[in-house]
C-alpha cells in the first residue's frame, strides 16, 4: 500500500506540475470565465430582447383546518399568492371543489403549472410536473410565505396568559412535501448527456495519458529500475489512480471556473437563465445518489484506464501504443453511443437493462438509466457491484499483462502469444 | 553468499540459460562475463526477480532472491530515468519505492550525489545532463539504502575517462566496504582491475568460474617474457628462436614473448640465455590475460570446425 501511495503521489505531482497541465488548465479557466460573460455582452448589444410575459397557472386548496383559521384564511388569498410568486395566475381550487386528485390531473394534462395544498402549520404539499423546471423555483418563496404564516398562527393561537418560547417560533421553518406529477426526464436528460460526455472525455484524454506515460517509462528504460523496486501491480495501480486524480483536479478547475464565471455575472444569469438555476436547485439527485454517480464515473475511468495500461505495457513506441489501444477505444465509442441511444429511448428497454450490467457499458448505460428514472436503488447497487467486480477483474488481468509487458521490447506480441506468455509467468 | 543453482530459462524455443550454476562469495567483486546474448542479463534479471526462472533457483544467503530484493542494488544495462523530472525528486521517489526511511532519504540522496561529484545537478531535470552524468545519477539510484549486494550491468559503457574514474572510485568504495559487487562487463581490463572471482558463461552455461588468480595460475606456464640485450647484435630475436625448448618468439612491449615447447623448458631457457651472453633485464612467466582466457573460453570455434573437448 505504501508503494501505491508513493506512486500515486509521484504521478499526480508529475502531471499537475507539468507545464502542459498548467497551461491547459489556465486556458480552460480563462476560456470558461470568458464565455460566462458572452450572454451578458450579447444581451447588452441586443436591445430587442423580448421579455417572457407568459404567466404560470397555479391552483391552491386550503384544507378545512386552515379555512377556519382567521390568520390563514385572511392571508392565503389569490392576491397575496400572486405577490409571493410573480407572473402567476392563482386559482382557488377549494371554491371549485377540487381535491388532491384533481390537482394531479390538472398538472398532468398541463392545465396547471403547479399546485399546493395547505392545512396550516409549516407543512404543505407542492405539486409540479418534472419537466416544468421553472415551477420548482416557486417552492422557496412559497415556503418562506408559509413559514411566516405558521409563525403568526402559532402566536395567535396561544392563550394570552401563556408565554410562548420565542426561540421555538423563530426557528420554525416550512416543510414542503414536493410531489412530482407526470414528470419526464427532460431535466435529467441533459445531465445524462453531460455526464456521459464528461466521462468519455476523461477516459479518452487521461486514459491516453496513462498509455503514453507507460510507453515513455519503457522507452526511457526507467521501467527496469522501477520494477526491481516495486511490484508491477503497485506501479500500475499507482499510475492509474495518480493520473485519475490529476484528471479530477483539472475537472475541478474547469467546474470552479464555470462557477466563478456564473458568480461574476450572477444577477444577469439569475434573470435570464432561471431554468438553469431550477435545474441546479431542484433536480432530484440526492447527495447519496450523487456520490453513487461519482463512484460510477470513477469506476468507469479505472476500468478503461487499466485496459489502456495493460495494452500499452506491451509496446515500446508511442506510435505502437496508438495501435494497441484502438480496440478499447472502439469499445469506449460503442459505450458512449449505447449510453446516448438508451437515453434517447431508441433502444429496447430489456436490452438497455442487460447492457447496463455489462461492465464495459455500465458506466454509460447505468447513468442513462438513472437519468431516465428507470433504475431503482437496488438496481443501481447491483450495477455498482457488477462494475466494481469488473474493475477488479480487469485490474487483475491487467496486472498480469503489465508484469510481462513492461519487460517486452521490440516487435509487439500477437494476442495469442501474449496470452501464452502471461500464462507461463 | 549468492548461489545460482541449475538455472534454466527459455524464451519461446530459444534456450537462453541451460543449468547455469555458480556461486558468489560475500564481500568479493565478482566478474560475470560472456559474449552478447549468452544469458548474462537474463541471469541478472532473474536475480532481480524481473524474470522468473523455468527451473533452478537463485538464493541469497540461503533465501530465495526475490525475498531479498531490497538488499540488492541494481544498475541495469538498459539505463534511463525520468527525463522531465528533477534528479532529487526522482531519486527520492526510487528510494521511497525501495522502502527507505523518508526522514533520512533526502540527506542520503544528496550525500551520494556529492560522492559522485553530481551534487550540482540535484535540482535540474535529467534531460539536461550528458549521458555520462546521467549514468552517475543511475549509479546513485542503485546505491541508495546501502544495499549489501550491488549488481552492475555494463557500468562503464559510454563513459568518458574522467567519469569512468569517478565511477571506479565509487565502485572501489563499495568493494572496500565489504559489499558483494557483481560486475558484468565486456571491458576485461576493468574486470581484471576490480574482480577477485569470475564466471564466464557461453550459450547459457558456465564455462569457467572461480578465483581469477587461481584460474590464471592453472594455465600452463609456458609463455615467457624476456627483456634484455645481446652484445654485438641489433636483432637478437633469431638467437632467441634458436635456443633449446623455444617454439616461437615475437616482439612484445620492450622485449620478446617466447612460447616454449613445455613449462619445464623455462629453466633450460634461462640457462641458455646466460650461455648465449644475453644480458637479462626481465625474465618472467607470462600469465594469460583475462581477455585471452575470455577469448579462449567464450569464443566459438571457427565455422566448419568442431570444438575440441
Amino acid at each position: 500500500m505504501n508503494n501505491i501511495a508513493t506512486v500515486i503521489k509521484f504521478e499526480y505531482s508529475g502531471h499537475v506540475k507539468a507545464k502542459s497541465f498548467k497551461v491547459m488548465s489556465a486556458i480552460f479557466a480563462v476560456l470558461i470565465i470568458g464565455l460566462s460573460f458572452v450572454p451578458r455582452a450579447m444581451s447588452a448589444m441586443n436591445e430587442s430582447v423580448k421579455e417572457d410575459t407568459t404567466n404560470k397557472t397555479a391552483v391552491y386548496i386550503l384544507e378545512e383546518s386552515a379555512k377556519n383559521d382567521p390568520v390563514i384564511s385572511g392571508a392565503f388569498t389569490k392576491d397575496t399568492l400572486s405577490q409571493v410568486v410573480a407572473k402567476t395566475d392563482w386559482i382557488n381550487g377549494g371554491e371549485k371543489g377540487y381535491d388532491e386528485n384533481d390537482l394531479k390531473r390538472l398538472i398532468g394534462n398541463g392545465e396547471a403549472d403547479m399546485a399546493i395544498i395547505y392545512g396550516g402549520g409549516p407543512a404543505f404539499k407542492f405539486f409540479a410536473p418534472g419537466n416544468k423546471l421553472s415551477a420548482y423555483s416557486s417552492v422557496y418563496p412559497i415556503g418562506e410565505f408559509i413559514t411566516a404564516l405558521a409563525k403568526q398562527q402559532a402566536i395567535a393561537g396561544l392563550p394570552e396568559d401563556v408565554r410562548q418560547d420565542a426561540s421555538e417560533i423563530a426557528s420554525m421553518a416550512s416543510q414542503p412535501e414536493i410531489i412530482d406529477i407526470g414528470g419526464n426526464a427532460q431535466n435529467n436528460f441533459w445531465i445524462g448527456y453531460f455526464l456521459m460526455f464528461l466521462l468519455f472525455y476523461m477516459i479518452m484524454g487521461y486514459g491516453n495519458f496513462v498509455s503514453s506515460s507507460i510507453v515513455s517509462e519503457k522507452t526511457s528504460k526507467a521501467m527496469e529500475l522501477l520494477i526491481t523496486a516495486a511490484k508491477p501491480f503497485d506501479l500500475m495501480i499507482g499510475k492509474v489512480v495518480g493520473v485519475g486524480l490529476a484528471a479530477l483536479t483539472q475537472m475541478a478547475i474547469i467546474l470552479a471556473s464555470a462557477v466563478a464565471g456564473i458568480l461574476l455575472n450572477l444577477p444577469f444569469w439569475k434573470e435570464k437563465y432561471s431554468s438553469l438555476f431550477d435545474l441546479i436547485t431542484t433536480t432530484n439527485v440526492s447527495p447519496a445518489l450523487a456520490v453513487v454517480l461519482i463512484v460510477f464515473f470513477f469506476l468507469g475511468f479505472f476500468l478503461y484506464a487499466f485496459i489502456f495500461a495493460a495494452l500499452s505495457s506491451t509496446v515500446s513506441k508511442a506510435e505502437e501504443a496508438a495501435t494497441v489501444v484502438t480496440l478499447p477505444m472502439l469499445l469506449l465509442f460503442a459505450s458512449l453511443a449505447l449510453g446516448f441511444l438508451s437515453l434517447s429511448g431508441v433502444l429496447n428497454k430489456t436490452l438497455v437493462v442487460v447492457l447496463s450490467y455489462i461492465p464495459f457499458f455500465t458506466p454509460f448505460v447505468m447513468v442513462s438509466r438513472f437519468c431516465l428514472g428507470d433504475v431503482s436503488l437496488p438496481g443501481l447497487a447491483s450495477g455498482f457491484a457488477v462494475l466494481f467486480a469488473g474493475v477488479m477483474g480487469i485490474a487483475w488481468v491487467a496486472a498480469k499483462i503489465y508484469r510481462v509487458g513492461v519487460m517486452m521490447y521490440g516487435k509487439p506480441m500477437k494476442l495469442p502469444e501474449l496470452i501464452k506468455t502471461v500464462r507461463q509467468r | 553468499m549468492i548461489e545460482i543453482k541449475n538455472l534454466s530459462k527459455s524464451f519461446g524455443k530459444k534456450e537462453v540459460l541451460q543449468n547455469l550454476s555458480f556461486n558468489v562469495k560475500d564481500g568479493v567483486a565478482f566478474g560475470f562475463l560472456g559474449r552478447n546474448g549468452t544469458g548474462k542479463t537474463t541471469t541478472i534479471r532473474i536475480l532481480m526477480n524481473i524474470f522468473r526462472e523455468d527451473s533452478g533457483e537463485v538464493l541469497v544467503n540461503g533465501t530465495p532472491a526475490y525475498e531479498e530484493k531490497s538488499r540488492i542494488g541494481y544498475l541495469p544495462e538498459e539505463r534511463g530515468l525520468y527525463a522531465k523530472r528533477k534528479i532529487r525528486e526522482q531519486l527520492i521517489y526510487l528510494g521511497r519505492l525501495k522502502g527507505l526511511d523518508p526522514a533520512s532519504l533526502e540527506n542520503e540522496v544528496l550525500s551520494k550525489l556529492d560522492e559522485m561529484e553530481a551534487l550540482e545537478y540535484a535540482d535540474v531535470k535529467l534531460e539536461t545532463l550528458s549521458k555520462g552524468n546521467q549514468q552517475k545519477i543511475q549509479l546513485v539510484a542503485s546505491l541508495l539504502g546501502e544495499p549489501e549486494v550491488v549488481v552492475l550491468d555494463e557500468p562503464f559503457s559510454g563513459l568518458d575517462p574522467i567519469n569512468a574514474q569517478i565511477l571506479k572510485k565509487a565502485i572501489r568504495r563499495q568493494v572496500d566496504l565489504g559489499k558483494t559487487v557483481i560486475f558484468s562487463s565486456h571491458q576485461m581490463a576493468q574486470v581484471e582491475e576490480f574482480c577477485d572471482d569470475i564466471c564466464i558463461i557461453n550459450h547459457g552455461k558456465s564455462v569457467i568460474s572461480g578465483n581469477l588468480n587461481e584460474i590464471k595460475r592453472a594455465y600452463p606456464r609456458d609463455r615467457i617474457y624476456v627483456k634484455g640485450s645481446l652484445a654485438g647484435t641489433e636483432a637478437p630475436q633469431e638467437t632467441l628462436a634458436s635456443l633449446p625448448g623455444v617454439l616461437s618468439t615475437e616482439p612484445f612491449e620492450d622485449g620478446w614473448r617466447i612460447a616454449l615447447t613445455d613449462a619445464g623448458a623455462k629453466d633450460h631457457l634461462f640457462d641458455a640465455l646466460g650461455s648465449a651472453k644475453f644480458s637479462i633485464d626481465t625474465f618472467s612467466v607470462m600469465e594469460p590475460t583475462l581477455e585471452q582466457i575470455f577469448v579462449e573460453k567464450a569464443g566459438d570455434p571457427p565455422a566448419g570446425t568442431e570444438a575440441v573437448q
Side-chain angles (χ1 to χ4, degrees):
Chain A
M1 276 310 278
N2 272 350
N3 272 353
I4 293 178
T6 303
V7 180
I8 290 173
K9 196 175 161 196
F10 186 75
E11 291 293 335
Y12 177 76
S13 69
H15 277 91
V16 297
K17 282 182 190 169
K19 205 180 278 178
S20 58
F21 182 93
K22 290 176 185 166
V23 169
M24 284 308 291
S25 301
I27 289 174
F28 274 130
V30 170
L31 206 63
I32 289 168
I33 292 174
L35 281 173
S36 71
F37 282 90
V38 171
R40 189 175 181 177
M42 297 279 285
S43 179
M45 283 189 287
N46 184 6
E47 291 179 1
S48 62
V49 176
K50 290 178 183 171
E51 282 190 24
D52 180 11
T53 53
T54 315
N55 277 12
K56 291 193 281 280
T57 304
V59 186
Y60 70 93
I61 296 176
L62 279 180
E63 290 175 341
E64 285 304 314
S65 54
K67 275 184 199 168
N68 298 331
D69 189 313
V71 173
I72 296 174
S73 59
F76 214 95
T77 64
K78 287 181 200 175
D79 294 340
T80 327
L81 285 168
S82 296
Q83 287 170 19
V84 172
V85 185
K87 294 181 189 173
T88 307
D89 297 327
W90 286 91
I91 298 166
N92 187 337
E95 286 177 358
K96 293 184 179 287
Y98 293 156
D99 61 10
E100 185 171 334
N101 286 335
D102 292 320
L103 297 186
K104 287 179 180 174
R105 178 181 50 78
L106 287 169
I107 290 170
N109 63 24
E111 287 179 51
D113 297 301
M114 62 181 147
I116 51 177
I117 297 179
Y118 182 53
F124 69 101
K125 284 183 180 177
F126 180 85
F127 303 81
N131 62 342
K132 210 68 172 224
L133 301 170
S134 55
Y136 282 103
S137 60
S138 308
V139 175
Y140 180 73
I142 293 171
E144 290 284 288
F145 174 58
I146 285 176
T147 303
L149 273 184
K151 286 179 182 175
Q152 282 180 36
Q153 190 188 13
I155 293 165
L158 289 173
E160 283 180 16
D161 57 338
V162 177
R163 300 192 68 177
Q164 172 72 18
D165 183 345
S167 65
E168 194 179 311
I169 294 174
S171 64
M172 190 180 274
S174 66
Q175 296 159 7
E177 180 191 344
I178 298 173
I179 299 156
D180 183 353
I181 305 297
N184 60 29
Q186 201 173 352
N187 54 339
N188 290 334
F189 201 73
W190 297 108
I191 296 177
Y193 274 132
F194 176 72
L195 283 175
M196 281 192 273
F197 188 76
L198 203 60
L199 177 58
F200 178 78
Y201 164 79
M202 195 168 150
I203 294 172
M204 278 279 282
Y206 284 89
N208 274 322
F209 249 143
V210 170
S211 171
S212 60
S213 172
I214 289 168
V215 175
S216 126
E217 278 174 353
K218 283 187 76 176
T219 49
S220 74
K221 314 289 182 194
M223 189 61 87
E224 189 159 348
L225 205 59
L226 289 173
I227 56 173
T228 59
K231 290 177 187 164
F233 180 79
D234 294 353
L235 292 171
M236 189 189 73
I237 300 284
K239 183 175 287 294
V240 169
V241 176
V243 173
L245 290 175
L248 187 67
T249 305
Q250 194 163 56
M251 281 173 54
I253 292 170
I254 291 171
L255 291 174
S257 309
V259 171
I262 291 170
L263 288 175
L264 284 171
N265 299 283
L266 194 59
F268 173 82
W269 281 72
K270 258 190 172 170
E271 185 188 347
K272 296 288 177 190
Y273 298 99
S274 59
S275 63
L276 180 74
F277 283 84
D278 294 342
L279 186 77
I280 294 164
T281 55
T282 64
T283 185
N284 55 355
V285 181
S286 70
L289 288 181
V291 168
V292 171
L293 278 180
I294 290 169
V295 169
F296 267 93
F297 198 82
F298 275 93
L299 285 180
F301 170 77
F302 288 138
L303 183 94
Y304 281 93
F306 284 136
I307 298 175
F308 278 41
L311 294 177
S312 305
S313 72
T314 65
V315 298
S316 319
K317 296 176 190 164
E319 53 269 31
E320 290 169 351
T323 310
V324 293
V325 298
T326 303
L327 195 66
M329 280 289 188
L330 288 175
L331 203 59
L332 183 62
F333 274 112
S335 301
L336 181 69
L338 288 171
F340 279 7
L341 289 174
S342 65
L343 198 56
S344 59
V346 174
L347 295 180
N348 173 289
K349 203 173 174 183
T350 314
L351 178 65
V352 170
V353 173
V354 172
L355 288 172
S356 69
Y357 291 110
I358 297 173
F360 298 113
F361 308 132
T362 305
F364 292 90
V365 182
M366 194 56 93
V367 164
S368 119
R369 284 185 64 199
F370 171 74
C371 292
L372 286 167
D374 187 33
V375 59
S376 61
L377 199 59
L380 212 54
S382 308
F384 167 76
V386 165
L387 183 56
F388 186 76
V391 171
M392 291 294 113
I394 293 283
W396 185 76
V397 173
K400 292 246 170 207
I401 295 173
Y402 190 85
R403 185 184 161 83
V404 174
V406 289
M407 289 315 299
M408 279 168 43
Y409 285 94
K411 200 177 157 192
M413 277 187 185
K414 296 258 186 292
L415 190 63
E417 199 184 347
L418 180 66
I419 293 169
K420 194 178 159 194
T421 312
V422 170
R423 292 177 95 179
Q424 279 176 346
R425 297 289 301 271
Chain B
M1 182 155 84
I2 297 170
E3 297 165 83
I4 309 283
K5 290 183 174 178
N6 303 316
L7 208 58
S8 293
K9 176 75 185 173
S10 298
F11 292 104
K13 288 178 183 170
K14 186 170 168 56
E15 219 176 348
V16 179
L17 299 179
Q18 302 175 51
N19 283 317
L20 176 67
S21 296
F22 64 89
N23 295 333
V24 182
K25 287 181 274 184
D26 284 340
V28 299
F30 184 88
F32 187 43
L33 314 171
R35 296 174 66 185
N36 293 330
T38 51
K40 297 190 302 293
T41 298
T42 302
T43 307
I44 290 173
R45 284 176 173 173
I46 292 173
L47 171 67
M48 295 309 300
N49 196 35
I50 297 169
F51 290 159
R52 289 268 172 82
E53 63 281 358
D54 295 340
S55 61
E57 57 184 347
V58 181
L59 303 174
V60 176
N61 296 331
T63 312
Y66 56 83
E67 290 179 16
E68 300 289 320
K69 208 166 70 169
S70 61
R71 294 164 63 187
I72 307 175
Y74 178 42
L75 178 74
E77 182 185 13
E78 302 274 13
R79 281 184 273 279
L81 285 169
Y82 295 93
K84 305 273 181 198
R85 306 293 286 262
K86 288 180 181 171
I87 307 293
R88 180 201 305 247
E89 188 186 4
Q90 50 188 314
L91 287 174
I92 288 175
Y93 173 56
L94 287 167
R96 293 292 302 272
L97 287 182
K98 285 180 174 183
L100 304 180
D101 179 15
S104 58
L105 188 54
E106 185 156 5
N107 284 340
E108 189 185 349
V109 163
L110 296 178
S111 137
K112 289 252 180 322
L113 282 172
D114 193 24
E115 193 182 312
M116 213 60 76
E117 297 179 25
L119 186 58
E120 61 192 292
Y121 307 127
D123 291 314
V124 303
K125 289 180 181 173
L126 187 78
E127 64 185 356
T128 61
L129 302 188
S130 67
K131 191 183 171 190
N133 281 329
Q134 289 190 20
Q135 203 149 317
K136 288 179 357 190
I137 303 302
Q138 191 103 16
L139 186 66
V140 169
S142 66
L143 297 179
L144 287 175
E146 300 295 343
E148 292 165 31
V149 179
V150 183
V151 180
L152 307 171
D153 201 351
E154 294 292 347
F156 295 104
S157 70
L159 285 186
D160 63 56
I162 306 293
N163 277 325
Q165 281 302 325
I166 295 169
L167 204 67
K168 274 183 191 177
K169 205 172 126 190
I171 295 170
R172 174 65 63 200
R173 186 165 175 270
Q174 299 303 309
V175 176
D176 293 344
L177 286 170
K179 293 184 183 179
T180 306
V181 179
I182 298 178
F183 203 91
S184 165
S185 178
H186 288 119
Q187 296 180 36
M188 297 301 145
Q190 274 149 356
V191 175
E192 220 164 353
E193 184 182 339
F194 280 110
C195 297
D196 312 309
D197 295 354
I198 61 159
C199 172
I200 298 175
I201 66 168
N202 199 16
H203 297 303
K205 291 177 187 169
S206 167
V207 287
I208 191 166
S209 69
N211 181 276
L212 182 56
N213 289 333
E214 286 172 12
I215 289 170
K216 285 182 174 178
R217 275 198 290 274
Y219 269 74
R221 305 175 75 76
D222 56 1
R223 295 282 186 281
I224 305 295
Y225 173 68
V226 172
K227 184 182 167 188
S229 57
L230 188 61
T233 173
E234 288 294 311
Q237 190 175 338
E238 285 177 17
T239 309
L240 292 173
S242 65
L243 295 175
V246 173
L247 208 57
S248 64
T249 60
E250 59 177 328
F252 181 74
E253 294 177 350
D254 294 336
W256 294 270
R257 180 159 51 198
I258 300 173
L260 300 175
T261 50
D262 59 83
K266 75 171 183 297
D267 295 335
H268 300 301
L269 175 65
F270 189 79
D271 293 339
L273 285 171
S275 305
K277 308 290 184 203
F278 189 92
S279 170
I280 301 172
D281 294 333
T282 307
F283 184 96
S284 63
V285 173
M286 289 181 77
E287 285 181 342
T289 62
L290 181 58
E291 188 166 341
Q292 287 167 329
I293 297 170
F294 181 84
V295 170
E296 183 194 321
K297 297 293 179 184
D300 285 332
T305 62
E306 288 184 11
V308 178
Q309 297 297 309

